[in-house]
Amino acid sequence: MIDFPPAIQNLIHSLKELPGIGPRSAERITLYLLEETKGTKQKLVQSINEIGAKIKPCSRCGFYTEETLCSICLDHSRDKQCFCLVIHPIDVIKIERTGAFRGVYHVLGKKISPLDGHVPEDLPLSPLLQRIDEEKPREIILAFGADAEAEATALYIGQILKKRAIRVSVLAMGLPAGSGLEYADSVTLSYALSGRREL
Amino acid sequence: MIDFPPAIQNLIHSLKELPGIGPRSAERITLYLLEETKGTKQKLVQSINEIGAKIKPCSRCGFYTEETLCSICLDHSRDKQCFCLVIHPIDVIKIERTGAFRGVYHVLGKKISPLDGHVPEDLPLSPLLQRIDEEKPREIILAFGADAEAEATALYIGQILKKRAIRVSVLAMGLPAGSGLEYADSVTLSYALSGRREL
């Protein structure tokens, strides 16, 4: 039984390492790239090389940028006194897509995660605290998500920030939009109950 | 609303052109490549460059190879008098994986497809006919699949080959292995009936 030549097998193998790409997808993409003549291969190679060469963290907030400061930190129309603290750079995009936040961000980079060996002392807080001392924000929103590790991280950072007399808030928890009661788990439902608001 | 820096958007866009990769997968793979530090980016770039530089069609059968002849054409244990005619190079791998064929292949490259503007006269038959004259195969199996275009291609090529007094066969049609009658469409079932064999 004959298999593909080594160069083809290598590409299938490399593609399989990507998230969400299984053996069949890897083979399909490889065969597509083998047969295409529109320059997709070259464009792909160039794009991969460019993210490696051009993208770096914003020196102020940690979001992705090609310059020293990201486009959010450079935007004069943003409220620089309201920080949104997130764990990953992608979280910035998620919040931006809501269109509901006009402040600035700070990317923490990691959360408390005992299973990955990240204890509270490992959190890279000194850049944040230094930025707070310099920029004196009015409010900090902890936008960490609702899993146990994110909540532990929010609790730990919340305590530190409150000592500095800053208003600290966390994202609301409750029913996801568009979903009925029958799909809500009991923890979510209890949060929705305790966080109820008067009409 | 701020989006990713251009280099990141470019990679997402390039990935979306690949088959089976939608906007969310493209974003997920891009973010994975942004954060990875194990050399996945470099390996991927190298593999894509290599298939472009190294892979070419076998000068005899048209399957993928890095040399002049592919590993099947170079294999002395294969039956060189039995050709399996396929449409795409990937079909070779599909048949090889069955382990049920010990002959050699010939990749046609295209099938009759009026919608794509491929009329019978467009089929690249002269390399095949020249190879037949030189190697004088005993049998040619037309392994084209069971759609209308593949059947038209088989009919057309079959007529030409039979004039040369070569035994020509097509793949059997019938029930797929492991499937019950309740899932078979009526065309498949009528083929299975007419192709029935005595026990």
Side-chain angles (χ1 to χ4, degrees), chain B residues 114-171:
Chain B
L115 286 177
D116 299 322
H118 297 161
V119 294
E121 291 70 32
D122 289 341
L123 291 177
L125 288 183
S126 41
L128 171 66
L129 297 177
Q130 194 188 333
R131 191 177 165 199
I132 289 172
D133 287 342
E134 286 167 10
E135 302 182 28
K136 306 203 187 326
R138 185 179 68 245
E139 177 176 2
I140 297 187
I141 302 168
L142 307 181
F144 291 166
D147 56 297
E149 297 170 344
E151 288 191 19
T153 310
L155 206 66
Y156 179 76
I157 295 183
Q159 284 172 337
I160 292 174
L161 296 182
K162 276 191 174 169
K163 284 185 200 147
R164 303 188 170 228
I166 306 166
R167 200 177 140 203
V168 180
S169 56
V170 295
L171 296 184

Side-chain angles (χ1 to χ4, degrees), chain A residues 125-134 160-161 164:
Chain A
L125 289 182
S126 41
L128 171 66
L129 297 177
Q130 194 188 332
R131 190 176 166 200
I132 289 172
D133 288 344
E134 286 168 8
I160 292 173
L161 295 182
R164 303 189 170 227

